[in-house]
Structure formats: structure tokens, C-alpha cells
């Protein structure tokens, strides 16, 4: 006797919530021999209703308890790429981040599924015990019964269900059939001349009557009066005196109705009116009188961003063939031109390519340079990011899922794009901090991309202006750096200048360089104004100044919720905390000594705009930061002017006539407690040098650290990989990436003592699990000792391998007296 077939293994299903994947049995009737539908969406019973989840694997909990059945697979092909699922599961396990939270951060479409749902009672089942409004023996819409009631019946196995697609529809308009039109619409009154009038006619009325006798019948009085050359009152008087007779005849349908009948239905009255060549009011009258009716029609495909018309020049593919490779240096157009042959070859083979950008500016540049390749080789390119609306995202995703679109260029949301045959993932600017999610899972996109590529041996390309120190282990190429015109103002070593002493003998003293706009920068700004050119000044911060300080006792007003000074915003005369948003007015006197005098320190965008307007009276000066965005359309059109902004300026297109870039205080990017500060500063300099697509504007850097290696290697025309290599060597003795895995553990509570005790408890737990002194640093208060009323403490783990890290982190899989958060790829920390 053959052995009975084995039941299918339970599925792991992740729902879009901060929770791990949950166990569900496959849908009733699922064949255990079928492969697990990894990456497919599935409907599951959830909280008394139905929820949409993603199948992420097979559970090993068979036989350990009663499980609910999944109800229906929503997709005919994976909704997210299986390699992404495997990479996300790997990252979730190591980082202790709930998989549902990770997926909800990266999957930007499909969680709100549209489907038809019908139910009925299982044959022979009596559902009267559940109440009155229960399904009967015939199929009915599920919405006719309570979702909670249906779930109770479902749980007892007494409910049959069937699901189907529910396409998007809109209210449209179609012509009513001629036979269905009311009789009064199909008949029409006409007028003919009569000899039976009972009152005499005036001369004008006589003219109108004679015209009607010669040209009648007429269907419209306006045709009669117009043909006879008289007014409407005249023809109405002829009718009133009995000199006309009316007749009913079959009316000819309006031309707009014929258009609707032949070419309809139309999704809007405007579309109908445009097709018929009549004003919208005319079709509105036809609709109101009954010539047309409103119906549900399939929604028109939404318009997606059009691909660029330009195509990179053809060339040979000389890029590396390894699993992970890199291309850095040069200008962005040069890098895309080198990448284009590889993309062209893959797309011609029918393989998919996903390009992921960290920010809007990089995304726009990639779309303009690469999207035209798709049409050239017979496929489509789609741009996928949060800027699309829900309907556009659904449409773009469907094109990728079906294989109709082979090239996807987008934000981190595009990383999981479900190409049927994915041939390459391109990660742009892998060193950018913009790849770090600031909330939710706090994942770092390059980490996830590397895991995804390794899961199914998908090639991964790292492309940008500067390589990350961690990327140097991969083979690749560094292009020649763009021509640079760089001038450094060294505030720490001003030139000496002669001065007459008390006895009229000359001696030397340090010269005044000018601050926040140095004399050198001011001189070049005047030249920009004289020649009608453009300049961009990069400020260290938004607002007017970093702080206000009492001139007597040096007291600085601080935030009551955070251990930071309040920033001064002159435009709204307020002190503002850039951490928690707290805001207050400027105090009249110092809270400590009572002195009424305040001194602003640390210039921001408002201060620098004020200085530029003093320097260049009447010259256009613009500001661009998070608080204030001037209209820069004039600059974009080539008009003269100066724009002052934070680093957000680099997210905009470079002004076409840019002649000067000024970094008003470069030390802002260095004076932070982060081992990546130098790397970040170097990348900023390279971005500025390559911001203009063709020219090399003069770049003036004002700094107190003119001998910093990041600046010196740019001045010495070193290639883009030189400084990251210096950084990698310097970090070897410190045990920092790329030589060790660095993991940041934050322990936080609203009570300082509780947070400190919990942090020490975490450290003791790690030491108990075998963490050595060199592996574990801390605990210590964070550089910001209090943020939004919470006291964060931090620990750093420096491990040689993921296996070792997993062993140590597994000891933290329990509850502590404070919040514990693990970050595998910390950015912007001490």
C-alpha cells in the first residue's frame, strides 16, 4: 500500500508591520510538490479580516500547533524578486530587525491589494448558529457579511471562498442604444408655413412668412429667423398669429452622440467633448437629457515619466566581469557612458537591469542618461520612486513583473523590482549617507544590495564619484578626475602683513581674512556680479546662526528636551531646536546674569545671505534650505545671481552659467564625532568639482584645516580612489570598517540612570557571551547626551565575521529595562 502523501510544509509570511514572519498553512488544495512561491503576495486571515503578506520561506514548525490556512495567492509571478527576499531575511536575522518592518520600508506597492471576493456556506453546512446575516448556499459578495463573522465561520472550516482580479475602473460615459432612448428624444418638432392665419401680418412678419413658405420646414427657430433676416420676436409673432403649423418627425441624432456610439465609452466628459469637437457644455446637456449614461469602464493606463530621447554613444564593454565590481571618478556623464555598453548588451539579451540611486538629483541624472537605452533595444524603462502616485506605481510594477519593462531606475524602492530574469543591479554612489534609512528598519541600502546579489549570484555594480573605503576590495576602475580650479582660504594661518609700530618702525601681524565671507571670496563674488555670472555658496547650516551667546557670562540658551544649543532664526525671530523642533522667542535678557546683549556665533544661510546682499547691493541673491526655498527658475534659465544654501543645493540641477562655488566653512563636515567625517568631506569636494556637467567653476574653500588629507589629495589632483585608500589603511589599527564589522548598539530610556544601568547590563551580557575587550567599546553616553527627552547610551562591537557577530548578538535576544536597538551599518555616529 503506497504511503500517503506528505502534507505541505507551512509557509513563512511577512506582513507590513514591525513583526517577524508568521506561520500559515498553504491554501487548501495546495500541491506539496510545487515549489514555495517565494516573493508572491498571499491573502491570509488577520485580526478578524484579511491581510496581504509576502511568502518569504518555509517554516520548520510543522506539527507544533494549529495553524491557519492562507487563502489565496494574489500573483501569477513573484511580486518582489526572490533574491531580495533572501537578502532581506539574511539582514533581518543578523540585525534582529523584524522582517515585516524591513519589507514595508522597501516594498512600495501592493500592500493594498484589489480583488473580488465571494463566499458561500460549505455544502450541507448549517450556519444558523452564527446569526442571521450569514452566507447561504449560493455565491454572494463577501461584503454582504461582517468580516469578523466570516472569519469565525472560516475558522470552523464551514466557508467556501473564491477570489478573482478586480481591475481598476472609473466612471465613464457611453451612448444609450437608439431603441432605448425616450420617444421624445427620437422625435423632433418642425415648422411649416400655413395659409390659415387669423390675424394680419406686419411687413417684417410677411417677409418671415414668405421665407418659411419657400424654405420650410425648419427644425430650429433660429434657422428661420437667421435665414429670413429678422429677429426671434418676429418669427414668434408669426406663429402666434396662426400662420404656421407644427409637425412631429424622426429626429436625426446629435453628432456628439454618434461619436460616443462609435468611439465610446469615454472615461470623462472632457475626453468625449474633445473627440466630438464640441464644448464640454454641449455633452453635459446631452447627458442631462438622456442621450448618454454613466458606466464603470476600465481605467486608462496612467502616464509614466517619459524616457529620455538621448542615448549614450555605442562602445565596447570593457568593464569587469566579476560578481561585484566598481566604477568611480570622472563626471557622471562619463561613468554612464562607460556603463551603457554593459546595459545595452544585457537588455538585448532580454535580461533585466535595476539602477538604484540614493537621492533625487542622482536619480534624475541616471534617468536622463540611461533611460533612452531601453527603447533603443526594444524594451521599456520605468522610473520607480516615491514621487509616483499609487496608480502609477502599480502600473510601473506590472510592466516590470510581466517583463515588458527591462530597465528600472529608481530609489531604494526599486531594489526589489521583480524582473523575470535579473541580469545586473547597479548601485549609484554607494558611499552616500542618503542610502541610510533614517527611521523604521534603519537599513543601509548597499548592505541589502550585497546580500541580494550574493543570494542568487546576481552581478552588482558600485558606481559613483568616490568609492567607499569598504568598496576597495572589489575590482574596478577609477576614471580621471575632472579638471579642478580650487582655491583655499586658510583661516588658521593668515598671511602676515606690515604695520607701523608705536615708534613708527614696521613689524608683522596676522592679516584679517574676513569672516564669514573672506576677502578672497568677496573679491571673486564682485567679479561674478560685474560679469553677470552665477555663484553658489554652501553654508554649514540653515537658520541665522548656530547659537546665541551672552557677551558677559558666555551662557548659551539650550533646548529643554535635548542637550544642544538652540539655533537662531532671524527671519522669524526665534530660537529653534533642530533635533526635536522645540521653538521659543529670543529672551530679552540672559537667564544667568541678566545682561541684555547677545552675540550670534556660527553663520547659517540667513547670515550669509545678509552678508552677500551687503557686498553686492542690488544683485539677485537667493536662498535654498529646508526652511526656505526661493524660486530659482531665473537661475536655471541662465540669469545672473547668487544662491546660498545648505548641502541640499547639490540635489538641484547645476545653474548653467555657474562661475563660482564657495564653501563658507568646510570644517563643519570635519568637526563631528564620526570616523567617516573625512570620507564624507572628501566626497563633498568631489561632488562640487563635478557638479557642473561641462565646466570647472572656481571653487573657494574656507577652512581652519587647510592641511587635511581629504583637501590636499584634491589639490594634488589625486584620483578619486586615493583618499579612500588612505582611510582604509588608517582604520586598520582602529579596527574599523573595512577591516572589521562595526555594529552600533543603542540603549535609551527617559531616565538617565535607568539608561546607564541598562547599557551596563547589555555590556555585561555581551562580555558574558565572550566579547573581548578589543571587540566591545562602551558603554558611553552618545555625543548628544539627550535627544527628545531620551538619554541614549551607545556600545560598539568590532567583529571579524558575521558568524562571530551573530553569536554575540544572540545573547541580546531577551528583554532589557530600556530600549535596545542594533544597527549593523551605523552612519553619523561617534
Amino acid at each position: 500500500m503506497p504511503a500517503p502523501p506528505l502534507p505541505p510544509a507551512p509557509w513563512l509570511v511577512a506582513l507590513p508591520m514591525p513583526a517577524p514572519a508568521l506561520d500559515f498553512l498553504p491554501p487548501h488544495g495546495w500541491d506539496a510538490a510545487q515549489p514555495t512561491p517565494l516573493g508572491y503576495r498571499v491573502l491570509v486571515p488577520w485580526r478578524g479580516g484579511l491581510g496581504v503578506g509576502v511568502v518569504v520561506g518555509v517554516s520548520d514548525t510543522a506539527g507544533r500547533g494549529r495553524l491557519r490556512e492562507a487563502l489565496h495567492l494574489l500573483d501569477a509571478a513573484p511580486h518582489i524578486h526572490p533574491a531580495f527576499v533572501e537578502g532581506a531575511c539574511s539582514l533581518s536575522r543578523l540585525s534582529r530587525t523584524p522582517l515585516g518592518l524591513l519589507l514595508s520600508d522597501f516594498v512600495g506597492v501592493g500592500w493594498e491589494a484589489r480583488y473580488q471576493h465571494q463566499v458561500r456556506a460549505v455544502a450541507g453546512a448549517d450556519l444558523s448558529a452564527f446569526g442571521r446575516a450569514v452566507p447561504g448556499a449560493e455565491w454572494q459578495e463577501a461584503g454582504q457579511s461582517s468580516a469578523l463573522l466570516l472569519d469565525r465561520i472560516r475558522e470552523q472550516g464551514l466557508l467556501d471562498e473564491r477570489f478573482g482580479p478586480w481591475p481598476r475602473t472609473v466612471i465613464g460615459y457611453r451612448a444609450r442604444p437608439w431603441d432605448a432612448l425616450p420617444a421624445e428624444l427620437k422625435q423632433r418638432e418642425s415648422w411649416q408655413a400655413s395659409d390659415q392665419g387669423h390675424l394680419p401680418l406686419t411687413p417684417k412678419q410677411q417677409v418671415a412668412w414668405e421665407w418659411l413658405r419657400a424654405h420650410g420646414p425648419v427644425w430650429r427657430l433660429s434657422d428661420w429667423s437667421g435665414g429670413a433676416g429678422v429677429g426671434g420676436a418676429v418669427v414668434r409673432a408669426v406663429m402666434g398669429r396662426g400662420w404656421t403649423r407644427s409637425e412631429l418627425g424622426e429626429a436625426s441624432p446629435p453628432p456628439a452622440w454618434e461619436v460616443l456610439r462609435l468611439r465610446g465609452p469615454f472615461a470623462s466628459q472632457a475626453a468625449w467633448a474633445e473627440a466630438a469637437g464640441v464644448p464640454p457644455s454641449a455633452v453635459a446637456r446631452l447627458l442631462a437629457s438622456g442621450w448618454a449614461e454613466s458606466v464603470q469602464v476600465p481605467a486608462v493606463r496612467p502616464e509614466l515619466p517619459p524616457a529620455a530621447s538621448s542615448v549614450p554613444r555605442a562602445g565596447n564593454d570593457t568593464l569587469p566581469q566579476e560578481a561585484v565590481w566598481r566604477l568611480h571618478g570622472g563626471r557622471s556623464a562619463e561613468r554612464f557612458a562607460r556603463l551603457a555598453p554593459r546595459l545595452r548588451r544585457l537588455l538585448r539579451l532580454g535580461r533585466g537591469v535595476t539602477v538604484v540611486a540614493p537621492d533625487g538629483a542622482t536619480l534624475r541624472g541616471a534617468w536622463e542618461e540611461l533611460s533612452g537605452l531601453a527603447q533603443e533595444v526594444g524594451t521599456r524603462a520605468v522610473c520607480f520612486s516615491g514621487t509616483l502616485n499609487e496608480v502609477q506605481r502599480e502600473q510601473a510594477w506590472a510592466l516590470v513583473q510581466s517583463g515588458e519593462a527591462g530597465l528600472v531606475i529608481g530609489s531604494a524602492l526599486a531594489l526589489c523590482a521583480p524582473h523575470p530574469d535579473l541580469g545586473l543591479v547597479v548601485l549609484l554612489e554607494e558611499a552616500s549617507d542618503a542610502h541610510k534609512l533614517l527611521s523604521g528598519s534603519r537599513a543601509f541600502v548597499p548592505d541589502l544590495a550585497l546580500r541580494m546579489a550574493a543570494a542568487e549570484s546576481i552581478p552588482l555594480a558600485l558606481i559613483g564619484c568616490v568609492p567607499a573605503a569598504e568598496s576597495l576590495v572589489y575590482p574596478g576602475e577609477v576614471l580621471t578626475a575632472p579638471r579642478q580650479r580650487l582655491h583655499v582660504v586658510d583661516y588658521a594661518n593668515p598671511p602676515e602683513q606690515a604695520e607701523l609700530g608705536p615708534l613708527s618702525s614696521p613689524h608683522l601681524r596676522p592679516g584679517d581674512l574676513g569672516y564669514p565671507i573672506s576677502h578672497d571670496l568677496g573679491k571673486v563674488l564682485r567679479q561674478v556680479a560685474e560679469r553677470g555670472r552665477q555663484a553658489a555658496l554652501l553654508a554649514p547650516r540653515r537658520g541665522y546662526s548656530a547659537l546665541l551667546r551672552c557677551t558677559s557670562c558666555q551662557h548659551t540658551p539650550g533646548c529643554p528636551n535635548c542637550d544642544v544649543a538652540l539655533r537662531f532664526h532671524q527671519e522669524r525671530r526665534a530660537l529653534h531646536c533642530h533635533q526635536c523642533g522645540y521653538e521659543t522667542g529670543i529672551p530679552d535678557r540672559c537667564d544667568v546674569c541678566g545682561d541684555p546683549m547677545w552675540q550670534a556665533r556660527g553663520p547659517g544661510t540667513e547670515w550669509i545671505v545678509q552678508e552677500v546682499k551687503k557686498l553686492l547691493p542690488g544683485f539677485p541673491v537667493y536662498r535654498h534650505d529646508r526652511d526656505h526655498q526661493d524660486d530659482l527658475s531665473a537661475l536655471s534659465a541662465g540669469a545672473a545671481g547668487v544662491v546660498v544654501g545648505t548641502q541640499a543645493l547639490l540635489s538641484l540641477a547645476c545653474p548653467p552659467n555657474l562661475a563660482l562655488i564657495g564653501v563658507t566653512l568646510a570644517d563643519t563636515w570635519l568637526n563631528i564625532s564620526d570616523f567617516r567625517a573625512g570620507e564624507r568631506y572628501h566626497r563633498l569636494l568631489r561632488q562640487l568639482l563635478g557638479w557642473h556637467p561641462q565646466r570647472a567653476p572656481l571653487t573657494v574653500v574656507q577652512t581652519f584645516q587647510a592641511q587635511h588629507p581629504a583637501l590636499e589629495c584634491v589639490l594634488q589632483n589625486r584620483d578619486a580612489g586615493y583618499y579612500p585608500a588612505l582611510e582604509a589603511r588608517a582604520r586598520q589599527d582602529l579596527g574599523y570598517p573595512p577591516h572589521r564589522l562595526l555594529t552600533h548598539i543603542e540603549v535609551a530610556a527617559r531616565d538617565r540612570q535607568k539608561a546607564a544601568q541598562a547599557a551596563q547590563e547589555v555590556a555585561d551580557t555581551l562580555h558574558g557571551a565572550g566579547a573581548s575587550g578589543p571587540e566591545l567599546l562602551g558603554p558611553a553616553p552618545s555625543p548628544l547626551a539627550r535627544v527628545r527627552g531620551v538619554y541614549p547610551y551607545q556600545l560598539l562591537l568590532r567583529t571579524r565575521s558575521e558568524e562571530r557577530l551573530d553569536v554575540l548578538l544572540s545573547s541580546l535576544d531577551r528583554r532589557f529595562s530600556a530600549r535596545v536597538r542594533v544597527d549593523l551599518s551605523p552612519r553619523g555616529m561617534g
Side-chain angles (χ1 to χ4, degrees):
M1 183 175 178
L6 293 174
W11 291 347
L12 284 171
V13 177
L15 292 136
M17 56 183 293
L22 305 175
D23 297 344
F24 288 91
L25 291 174
H28 184 70
W30 180 264
D31 185 356
Q34 290 182 273
T36 305
L38 204 64
Y40 287 66
R41 291 177 304 160
V42 62
L43 283 174
V44 295
W46 182 249
R47 293 181 176 174
L50 300 183
V52 177
V54 174
V55 179
V56 296
V58 176
S59 173
D60 59 358
T61 60
R64 297 186 189 177
R66 184 183 176 191
L67 300 177
R68 301 291 300 273
E69 281 186 351
L71 300 177
H72 177 67
L73 278 180
L74 288 166
D75 303 302
H79 182 71
I80 58 178
H81 201 281
F84 177 87
V85 174
E86 294 182 45
C89 289
S90 168
L91 182 61
S92 171
R93 283 191 297 269
L94 186 61
S95 66
R96 275 60 184 172
T97 300
L99 184 58
L101 180 62
L102 194 61
L103 291 183
S104 64
D105 280 345
F106 283 90
V107 181
V109 63
W111 295 116
E112 299 292 334
R114 296 173 54 82
Y115 53 87
Q116 293 179 344
H117 183 197
Q118 294 181 316
V119 296
R120 71 180 180 187
V122 168
D126 181 8
L127 304 184
S128 58
F130 292 94
R132 290 185 177 181
V134 296
E138 302 297 327
W139 290 108
Q140 67 177 51
E141 296 298 324
Q144 297 179 19
S145 300
S146 159
L148 187 59
L149 173 63
L150 291 180
D151 194 54
R152 288 169 52 202
I153 301 172
R154 181 185 298 121
E155 197 168 9
Q156 300 303 316
L158 301 177
L159 191 66
D160 277 342
E161 301 180 79
R162 66 182 183 188
F163 299 86
W166 186 12
R168 285 191 178 274
T169 59
V170 296
I171 296 178
Y173 303 93
R174 70 179 179 194
R176 283 186 174 173
W178 181 262
D179 294 339
L181 290 171
E184 59 269 20
L185 293 180
K186 295 188 288 185
Q187 292 181 339
R188 197 172 185 185
E189 187 178 16
S190 63
W191 290 272
Q192 180 61 278
S194 170
D195 296 328
Q196 306 299 319
H198 54 274
L199 291 174
L201 299 174
T202 65
K204 282 190 176 182
Q205 293 168 358
Q206 184 70 28
V207 170
W209 179 82
E210 289 178 355
W211 185 93
L212 182 61
R213 185 176 62 175
H215 299 89
V218 295
W219 299 94
R220 292 186 302 180
L221 297 182
S222 58
D223 292 342
W224 178 10
S225 60
V230 298
V234 174
V235 300
R236 286 193 292 274
V238 174
M239 295 170 60
R241 294 170 182 252
W243 292 92
T244 62
R245 66 176 185 273
S246 63
E247 299 174 350
L248 286 178
E250 184 172 308
S252 57
W257 178 86
E258 289 285 5
V259 170
L260 185 61
R261 182 179 66 86
L262 296 173
R263 298 170 56 184
F266 290 103
S268 67
Q269 293 185 39
W272 175 16
E274 182 179 356
V278 298
S281 58
V283 300
R285 287 194 297 270
L286 290 180
L287 184 64
S289 59
W291 285 96
E293 59 187 354
S294 58
V295 292
Q296 292 290 331
V297 299
V300 178
R301 280 189 171 192
E303 290 188 6
L304 297 176
S309 56
S310 60
V311 179
R313 65 181 183 274
N316 296 325
D317 181 4
T318 60
L319 295 174
Q321 300 293 331
E322 283 81 0
V324 182
W325 52 272
R326 58 185 176 86
L327 174 65
H328 295 92
R331 296 184 185 275
S332 60
E334 297 175 63
R335 296 191 295 270
F336 289 136
R338 293 294 303 275
L339 177 64
R342 176 67 55 88
L343 267 57
R344 190 180 278 113
R345 177 173 63 83
L346 290 171
L347 293 173
R348 282 198 177 118
L349 293 173
R351 308 202 67 188
V353 176
T354 296
V355 181
V356 178
D359 52 60
T362 309
L363 175 55
R364 288 193 299 272
W367 182 256
E368 291 168 2
E369 294 288 342
L370 299 176
S371 60
L373 286 170
Q375 187 174 2
E376 178 191 344
V377 299
T379 184
R380 287 191 62 170
V382 296
C383 183
F384 193 87
S385 69
T387 59
L388 302 183
N389 61 41
E390 180 185 358
V391 179
Q392 288 175 314
R393 290 199 299 269
E394 287 181 3
Q395 174 65 17
W397 213 247
L399 292 173
V400 179
Q401 197 174 23
S402 66
E404 188 177 339
L407 177 59
V408 179
I409 302 174
S411 64
L413 298 176
L415 185 59
C416 60
H419 291 285
D421 183 12
L422 180 58
L424 178 66
V425 175
V426 178
L427 191 65
L428 301 178
E429 305 295 349
E430 84 280 2
S432 172
D433 288 337
H435 279 303
K436 179 73 172 179
L437 302 191
L438 300 180
S439 60
S441 63
R442 296 179 182 265
F444 188 52
V445 177
D447 283 353
L448 188 51
L450 283 165
R451 292 174 186 276
M452 173 182 172
E456 293 191 3
S457 300
I458 298 170
L460 174 65
L462 307 175
I463 297 179
C465 65
V466 177
E470 293 87 342
S471 303
L472 296 177
V473 298
Y474 303 115
E477 182 180 350
V478 178
L479 303 178
T480 303
R483 183 173 71 90
Q484 57 94 354
R485 297 168 58 216
L486 191 60
H487 176 73
V488 178
V489 176
D490 185 359
Y491 279 129
N493 297 289
E496 294 181 332
Q497 59 187 31
E499 181 185 63
L500 292 177
L503 300 179
S504 300
S505 59
H507 69 280
L508 298 178
R509 70 172 182 84
D512 178 18
L513 293 179
Y515 186 79
I517 294 179
S518 65
H519 300 317
D520 288 356
L521 181 57
K523 179 180 179 181
V524 184
L525 280 171
R526 291 190 191 95
Q527 293 176 355
V528 166
E530 291 167 1
R531 298 173 185 178
R533 303 293 295 280
Q534 297 174 328
L537 301 184
L538 208 61
R541 60 188 62 84
R542 56 194 170 98
Y544 187 84
S545 65
L547 51 88
L548 288 182
R549 180 171 289 170
C550 175
T551 56
S552 297
C553 69
Q554 306 302 305
H555 168 67
T556 298
C559 175
N561 306 315
C562 312
D563 281 350
V564 294
L566 291 171
R567 301 284 176 91
F568 173 39
H569 288 252
Q570 187 182 59
E571 192 173 69
R572 57 180 186 264
R573 302 296 298 171
L575 298 177
H576 185 84
C577 176
H578 287 187
Q579 295 294 327
C580 69
Y582 171 82
E583 186 167 300
T584 185
I586 302 172
D588 295 330
R589 294 179 177 275
C590 174
D591 292 339
V592 176
C593 69
D595 196 294
M597 297 298 294
W598 295 104
Q599 182 181 28
R601 302 296 297 272
T605 51
E606 294 179 21
W607 187 339
I608 294 171
V609 164
Q610 178 179 289
E611 294 294 321
V612 175
K613 287 182 175 180
K614 289 179 184 176
L615 183 70
L616 307 175
F619 195 64
V621 181
Y622 306 91
R623 180 173 143 219
H624 183 88
D625 56 32
R626 187 188 302 179
D627 299 328
H628 184 94
Q629 298 90 37
D630 283 327
D631 181 7
L632 303 181
S633 57
L635 279 183
S636 300
V642 177
V643 57
V644 178
T646 58
Q647 197 168 343
L649 272 179
L650 297 181
S651 66
L652 306 176
C654 180
N657 293 325
L658 188 69
L660 170 67
I661 299 173
V663 182
T664 56
L665 188 60
D667 305 76
T668 306
W669 283 268
L670 293 171
N671 297 339
I672 53 177
S673 55
D674 184 0
F675 71 94
R676 287 193 175 91
E679 188 179 11
R680 193 175 292 116
Y681 175 45
H682 175 248
R683 183 172 179 273
L684 171 67
L685 293 174
R686 296 286 184 181
Q687 281 183 293
L688 291 174
L689 295 180
W691 191 24
H692 198 286
Q694 287 93 28
R695 292 202 303 269
L698 175 65
T699 301
V700 177
V701 177
Q702 302 181 163
T703 179
F704 286 89
Q705 302 180 57
Q707 286 74 42
H708 193 280
L711 181 57
E712 285 191 332
C713 77
V714 176
L715 283 168
Q716 296 166 6
N717 289 314
R718 302 283 189 175
D719 67 44
Y722 182 81
Y723 182 76
L726 290 180
E727 278 285 299
R729 287 195 292 272
R731 294 177 193 174
Q732 188 165 8
D733 294 336
L734 299 174
Y736 279 171
H739 308 286
R740 296 287 190 278
L741 298 176
L742 186 67
T743 303
H744 178 253
I745 303 173
E746 183 186 85
V747 183
R750 291 195 171 273
D751 179 82
R752 186 195 300 268
Q753 185 176 1
K754 183 178 179 181
Q757 291 175 348
Q760 187 59 52
E761 184 183 358
V762 169
D764 294 341
T765 302
L766 290 169
H767 282 303
S772 63
E775 283 183 317
L776 179 62
L777 299 179
S782 292
L784 289 181
R786 183 170 51 118
V787 180
R788 296 182 180 88
V790 173
Y791 295 89
Y793 280 69
Q794 61 182 8
L795 303 93
L796 292 178
L797 274 176
R798 300 178 297 180
T799 54
R800 292 183 178 272
S801 67
E802 287 192 357
E803 292 74 21
R804 174 62 175 163
L805 177 61
D806 190 40
V807 168
L808 295 177
L809 291 181
S810 63
S811 66
L812 303 183
D813 293 342
R814 65 180 185 86
R815 297 185 69 86
F816 290 89
S817 57
R819 184 192 69 196
V820 178
R821 185 160 51 200
V822 175
D823 189 350
L824 296 185
S825 300
R827 315 288 293 189
M829 40 71 61

